[in-house]
Amino acid sequence: MELKVAVLAGDGIGPEISAVGVDVMTAVCEKFGHKVSYEYAICGAHAIDEVGDPFPEDTFNKCMAADAVLFSAVGDPKFDNNPSAKVRPEQGLLAMRKKLGLFANIRPVQTFDCLVHKSPLKDELVKGADFICIRELTGGMYFGEKYQDDNKAYDTNAYTRPEIERILKVAYDYARKRNKHLTVVDKANVLASSRLWRKVAQEMAPNYPDVTTDFMYVDNAAMRMIQEPKFFDVMVTENTFGDILTDEGSCITGSMGLLPSASTGEHTPVFEPIHGSWPQAKGLNIANPLAQVLSVAMLFEYFDLKKEGELIRKAVDASLDQNVRTPEIQVAGGAKYGTKEVGAWLVDWIKKA
């Protein structure tokens, strides 16, 4: 197979973890006889500094021409601390999602037995937790009509039936491939947009008789994720709720540096770690690259290259079991490994496997 991948390293620790992701992808492609080529492009604060646009037209064109996008992170404190800034790195991420039509964000939440002790939850609650959060990505408040002056501001949480139907279809498809349990998360007791979500979901549920569909208010879902994370199999919700719940879910594993994601839709799919740019760690060689590496596994699996994805997952498991870990998840007294060293170890393991 031939793969053309657009690589968007972005800001902060992005370039460091991106390099590891590319090295792992290259090693896997060499092992399985695939051809892969890379097109590098700028985004986020880096792109603002270079051309004044967090998602330049050249970057968009490279993404459209690729089979997949391997993205890392955007964000920079100089924009976070300036509320009057007209252009922000995160606008590039929103623009990428909108222009590529990436309406479905898929975030697996999976625990690793050897890292259960790192979770803020009790071991018996966390061990075995394995679910997927599916977040609608191009509608809701993030993209609705906005207004702000010194005394008043609003963000409109607008959704249409087609937007809801297409994301629910994605969720049902994932539920059918897993444990056939779908939880639709909304706030239908308060929000009109949520009542439309629930109405559409209730209409679609009979088309999937093999899937158990239940409904849960977002506040209850947030509580249930902490009390009983193993209750969930596939969860689907709107943009804002999904943003919050998926970050909450990431904490269950004990480190945001372990969880990948995929964003799919009308055009080129994007694969990325769920964490941010962590600018304080930039250049220190301490960032955990495993979420980026597991994003590469999701990329292969998207193209039905299951053995390739499985090999990456086995390499990650082996690195954790042998304590080849970056500082935030290393065991007491364990050897010191940086981002580059973990990456090199993974590549070597893949080549020898």
Side-chain angles (χ1 to χ4, degrees), residues 18-261:
S18 178
V20 173
V22 168
D23 288 346
V24 167
M25 183 182 295
T26 301
V28 172
C29 285
E30 288 176 352
K31 191 171 190 70
F32 285 88
H34 304 306
K35 293 183 179 179
V36 60
S37 60
Y38 303 103
E39 282 281 352
Y40 291 84
I42 59 174
C43 63
H46 179 199
I48 294 174
D49 290 341
E50 291 284 331
V51 298
D53 185 342
F55 189 61
E57 192 69 16
D58 179 66
T59 298
F60 170 62
N61 291 335
K62 287 179 178 177
C63 290
M64 286 292 288
D67 298 307
V69 176
L70 185 64
F71 172 73
S72 297
V74 294
D76 190 285
K78 67 183 178 184
F79 296 94
D80 296 339
N81 298 327
N82 181 10
S84 63
K86 300 299 182 184
V87 182
R88 299 178 179 278
E90 292 76 14
Q91 290 171 343
L93 187 56
L94 296 179
M96 177 169 64
R97 292 169 179 169
K98 197 71 173 178
K99 294 179 77 171
L100 294 178
L102 304 174
F103 63 84
N105 181 236
I106 296 97
R107 287 192 178 187
V109 177
Q110 182 180 8
T111 55
F112 298 84
D113 287 350
C114 64
L115 288 171
V116 164
H117 66 285
K118 287 286 188 178
S119 174
L121 303 184
K122 294 179 180 178
D123 290 7
E124 61 266 27
L125 294 179
V126 176
K127 194 170 184 178
D130 181 1
F131 61 95
I132 291 180
C133 296
I134 296 181
R135 167 190 171 193
E136 199 290 322
L137 206 56
T138 57
M141 284 195 290
Y142 291 7
F143 293 95
E145 182 183 347
K146 301 177 185 298
Y147 175 80
Q148 179 182 357
D149 61 28
D150 289 340
N151 300 301
K152 179 181 177 181
Y154 60 78
D155 300 276
T156 307
N157 195 47
Y159 272 103
T160 64
R161 174 177 285 269
E163 287 176 317
I164 300 169
E165 288 176 341
R166 67 182 182 179
I167 192 67
L168 285 171
K169 183 180 184 305
V170 171
Y172 273 114
D173 287 345
Y174 269 90
R176 276 183 160 172
K177 296 173 185 175
R178 288 174 52 90
N179 298 316
K180 298 178 171 57
H181 175 204
L182 177 65
T183 303
V184 182
V185 177
D186 60 32
K187 192 64 176 171
N189 58 334
V190 176
L191 301 177
S193 57
S194 282
R195 287 192 285 275
L196 179 60
W197 268 76
R198 186 166 293 209
K199 175 180 172 61
V200 173
Q202 288 172 336
E203 292 172 359
M204 290 180 65
N207 298 326
Y208 301 88
D210 53 326
V211 177
T212 299
T213 305
D214 51 39
F215 299 87
M216 195 175 293
Y217 295 148
V218 63
D219 43 354
N220 187 24
M223 180 174 65
R224 195 73 176 268
M225 284 174 66
I226 299 301
Q227 291 181 326
E228 191 185 359
K230 286 181 278 191
F231 168 83
F232 297 102
D233 178 36
V234 178
M235 171 195 298
V236 63
T237 191
E238 60 96 53
N239 204 343
T240 305
F241 296 161
D243 193 3
I244 297 166
L245 290 176
T246 50
D247 275 8
E248 181 187 8
S250 72
C251 295
I252 292 172
T253 67
S255 173
M256 291 185 75
L258 293 169
L259 298 182
S261 75

Side-chain angles (χ1 to χ4, degrees), residues 282-320:
K282 179 180 179 180
L284 299 181
N285 193 38
I286 61 173
N288 189 345
L290 295 186
Q292 181 82 86
V293 169
L294 289 169
S295 297
V296 175
M298 291 187 75
L299 187 157
F300 281 120
E301 290 159 355
Y302 176 86
F303 292 103
D304 205 31
L305 301 174
K306 296 179 181 178
K307 291 182 178 179
E308 290 82 342
E310 183 182 8
L311 181 62
I312 292 174
R313 295 183 187 280
K314 287 180 177 178
V316 168
D317 287 341
S319 72
L320 293 173

